[in-house]
Amino acid sequence: SPHKLFDGMACGLPAIVPDFAVQVAEVATAAGCGLATDVTDPAAIAASVMALDDPDRRARMGAAARAAAEGEWGWPAQAAELIRLYDGFRTAGPAARPAL
């Protein structure tokens, strides 16, 4: 789930995420803090786990995770984006609001 990924990112942990969870995989790989893998393939899972066996790589990915959690994916940035969206809808009027 995205919440578990973000919790791990905030703790500075690299992640192995399922490649079918597209949004989660995109966040993890774009931030440089996770590996998207085919979780139905034991060899692919093993390869991802082995890739994180390198302490330097884990440290780099963990630092990237923490930086992303504090920056682009942190609460302040997400709140600012919600406010920007709300203000856009508020000023554009009812015609611009998405149908629910």
Side-chain angles (χ1 to χ4, degrees), residues 9 12-14 33 58-68:
M9 289 171 66
L13 298 173
C33 65
R58 269 195 325 271
R60 282 192 311 274
M61 291 176 76
R66 181 66 186 202

Side-chain angles (χ1 to χ4, degrees), residues 36-91:
T37 192
D38 179 356
V39 295
T40 64
D41 179 1
I45 296 169
S48 293
V49 170
M50 294 304 295
L52 292 181
D53 191 40
D54 175 12
D56 291 332
R57 185 173 192 184
R58 269 195 325 271
R60 282 192 311 274
M61 291 176 76
R66 181 66 186 202
E70 291 176 349
E72 178 181 4
W73 298 103
W75 284 111
Q78 294 301 304
E81 177 64 9
L82 286 174
I83 290 168
R84 185 191 67 76
L85 289 170
Y86 174 77
D87 284 344
F89 290 137
R90 184 178 52 80
T91 58

